[in-house]
Amino acid sequence: MKNTKDNKKDKKVLIGALGIAAVIAAGSTFAWFTSSDEVTNRLTASADYGVSITETFTPPNNDWLPGQTIKKEVSAVNTGNVDAFVRMDLTHVISGKVLDPAGVAIAATIPENAVKIDTNKANWRETYQTGELVVIKGEAAAEANATALGYEFKDGAVLVDSHVFTPTEDGLYIFRRQIDGTTYSFSGYYKKGTDYYKLNNAVLDNGDFTVDILNLQNVANSVPTAEQIAAVKLAASKNLPAITEDNTTAVYDSANNKIVLTYGGADGDTTSTDDNIIININLAENFADNWTYLNDFAGDSKTTNGHFYLNKILAAGATSDKLVASVTLDGAVKNQAFTDLTYDLTVGLDSVQISPDEEKTAASYVVGVNSAWAPAEAAKSGDAITWTKQ
C-alpha cells in the first residue's frame, strides 16, 4: 500500500498530465479579390505545443473567374514532442460590391457609388459600346454630328467605327445594335473628364444586355426620344450583405467530395439563383479515409457549425493527411452576382495534446457537444480512430 506522500505525489502527476491536455486554436486565413487586379493571400498560424496549420496556396495570376480552381492544400503539422488529437473547422466571409438594379440618376456631380469603367482593359470598348452612334453628349445624333466627326449619317445614326471612336466632350454616348430585322439593343457610357461610367442595364428576353432606356428595350424604335434619353441612369453599386445563417448554406457533398458554399447574393435568397455566389471547397482525394465531419449540433447540415476530426493520433513530428485540396468559384456564378468580390476562407485548428507517458486508450474520452471533444475509440498512437458524437 502506498503511503500518504506517495498518494500526494501521484495526484500531482495526474494534475500535471491533465494540464497538458489543453485545447489550442490556430487560424489560417486567405482571401482573393475578383473583378480587380489585386490578389491577396492572408495567412496566420499560431499554436502552443507545436501543433499548427500548414498550407500550399497558389493564387490566381489575375481575376478569379467562374469555373477557375485555385490550389489550396491544408494540413496540420505537429512540430512538438508529444502526440495530439486534431480537429479543424472552416468558416467563410464574403464581402464586395454588386450592381444596384435601380441605378443612379445622371447629375453634374458623379455619385461615389457610380460604376467607373476600367478603360485599361483591352476589351472595354467592345464591352460598353457597339454598333451605330445614336446619342451624342446626351442628345439624339444629327447629320451635323456626322459631318463634324467625318462619318456617314443614316437612319438617325452616325455610322462610326465604334471600336475606335473616342469622344472629345463630356456627356452621354449611346450606341445601337440591331438584334434582328425590327428590334435593337443599346450600349454606351457617360464621359466625365478622363473617366468613363457604365450605364444601367436591363436584360432582354433573349439574354442580351441593353441600356435601361425606359420603354425602349426590345422594341422597333431605333432612335431614343428626348424623354427616353433623360431617363437613362448610371450603373451604381452597393455593398454585398454579410454572411449570415439566413443567406448562406455550406453543405458537405459526399458524392463529389466537396463543401458547397452557396451565398444568396444581394437579395439574400439562395433559392433565386441569378445572383448567387457559389464556392466549392474541394476536399482532399482521400478525405473520407482520413477525416470525419461531425455537426456540433443535431440536425445542422452547415459546415460552419461543425468540425473535421483527424482519424488518427497525430504523432510528434508528423504532418496530417490533407483536409482541403483546392477552391473553385463555381461556373454557374453569373456576371450580375458581383462587381468586386472578396472571399476569406478561415481554417481553424484545435488540438488536444497527449503526454508521452499517458495511456492512449478510449477509457476516459468521449465526443460531446458545445465544443467538448476527444476520441470515442482510440488504441495506440497511429491507430485509426472512429469518431462519433455523444
Side-chain angles (χ1 to χ4, degrees):
M1 179 179 295
K2 294 184 179 180
N3 60 33
T4 303
K5 291 183 179 181
D6 289 337
N7 288 337
K8 290 181 179 180
K9 181 179 180 180
D10 289 345
K11 289 180 180 179
K12 290 180 180 180
V13 171
L14 176 59
I15 293 170
L18 292 174
I20 295 175
V23 176
I24 61 173
S28 175
T29 307
F30 68 93
W32 48 79
F33 294 77
T34 65
S35 296
S36 68
D37 292 328
E38 181 181 6
V39 179
T40 303
N41 179 38
R42 296 198 300 250
L43 169 64
T44 60
S46 60
D48 296 328
Y49 308 111
V51 180
S52 58
I53 294 169
T54 180
E55 70 160 10
T56 300
F57 174 70
T58 305
N61 293 327
N62 297 298
D63 293 341
W64 190 32
L65 302 175
Q68 184 178 8
T69 297
I70 303 302
K71 183 178 182 180
K72 171 66 181 176
E73 298 179 340
V74 177
S75 303
V77 58
N78 187 347
T79 58
N81 57 7
V82 293
D83 299 341
F85 300 122
V86 172
R87 72 176 183 181
M88 289 186 174
D89 65 275
L90 306 178
T91 55
H92 318 272
V93 175
I94 286 178
S95 60
K97 295 183 179 296
V98 64
L99 290 178
D100 187 341
V104 61
I106 295 175
T109 302
I110 303 296
E112 290 184 1
N113 61 334
V115 178
K116 190 182 295 186
I117 297 172
D118 184 359
T119 55
N120 292 319
K121 293 188 175 180
N123 67 341
W124 81 270
R125 293 185 184 279
E126 288 82 352
T127 303
Y128 297 107
Q129 64 184 69
T130 182
E132 305 161 340
L133 185 57
V134 293
V135 174
I136 300 176
K137 295 184 295 183
E139 297 181 358
E143 190 167 4
N145 299 122
T147 301
L149 294 170
Y151 291 100
E152 181 184 355
F153 185 77
K154 183 180 179 181
D155 297 332
V158 180
L159 307 184
V160 299
D161 183 350
S162 59
H163 288 198
V164 298
F165 172 75
T166 301
T168 58
E169 298 183 63
D170 291 350
L172 174 66
Y173 292 82
I174 296 179
F175 302 79
R176 75 181 180 195
R177 177 175 65 89
Q178 193 166 2
I179 298 175
D180 53 38
T182 59
T183 59
Y184 297 81
S185 67
F186 299 85
S187 60
Y189 48 71
Y190 185 83
K191 178 182 182 299
K192 181 72 171 179
T194 58
D195 296 325
Y196 291 80
Y197 295 89
K198 181 179 173 66
L199 302 183
N200 206 38
N201 288 338
V203 182
L204 300 179
D205 293 338
N206 66 355
D208 283 349
F209 285 87
T210 185
V211 172
D212 188 9
I213 301 176
L214 185 64
N215 299 321
L216 193 59
Q217 295 94 347
N218 208 17
V219 296
N221 186 6
S222 63
V223 180
T225 66
E227 291 77 12
Q228 290 167 334
I229 294 171
V232 174
K233 294 182 178 181
L234 300 181
S237 64
K238 60 182 181 180
N239 292 329
L240 288 168
I243 281 183
T244 67
E245 292 185 1
D246 295 326
N247 67 13
T248 306
T249 60
V251 179
Y252 172 42
D253 179 358
S254 59
N256 295 293
N257 200 39
K258 64 182 180 181
I259 298 162
V260 181
L261 178 75
T262 303
Y263 168 73
D267 64 3
D269 184 2
T270 57
T271 63
S272 59
T273 59
D274 282 347
D275 64 341
N276 283 353
I277 296 173
I278 304 169
I279 297 172
N280 299 319
I281 298 92
N282 306 305
L283 301 171
E285 184 177 356
N286 55 352
F287 160 79
D289 295 330
N290 299 308
W291 298 85
T292 297
Y293 173 70
L294 294 177
N295 298 320
D296 287 350
F297 304 99
D300 192 346
S301 63
K302 293 183 180 180
T303 58
T304 49
N305 288 331
H307 287 84
F308 300 85
Y309 295 81
L310 185 62
N311 291 343
K312 61 182 179 182
I313 294 171
L314 186 60
T319 299
S320 74
D321 295 286
K322 290 193 294 288
L323 173 63
V324 175
S326 61
V327 182
T328 303
L329 183 60
D330 197 283
V333 175
K334 299 181 180 179
N335 59 3
Q336 63 261 44
F338 60 87
T339 57
D340 291 291
L341 174 68
T342 302
Y343 170 57
D344 290 353
L345 172 61
T346 298
V347 184
L349 179 148
D350 296 324
S351 67
V352 174
Q353 303 295 325
I354 307 169
S355 62
D357 59 349
E358 183 178 358
E359 185 180 7
K360 301 176 180 65
T361 64
S364 59
Y365 297 104
V366 64
V367 179
V369 296
N370 299 324
S371 298
W373 69 286
E377 296 178 10
K380 297 183 182 300
S381 178
D383 286 359
I385 301 171
T386 300
W387 293 96
T388 59
K389 190 163 61 172
Q390 188 180 50

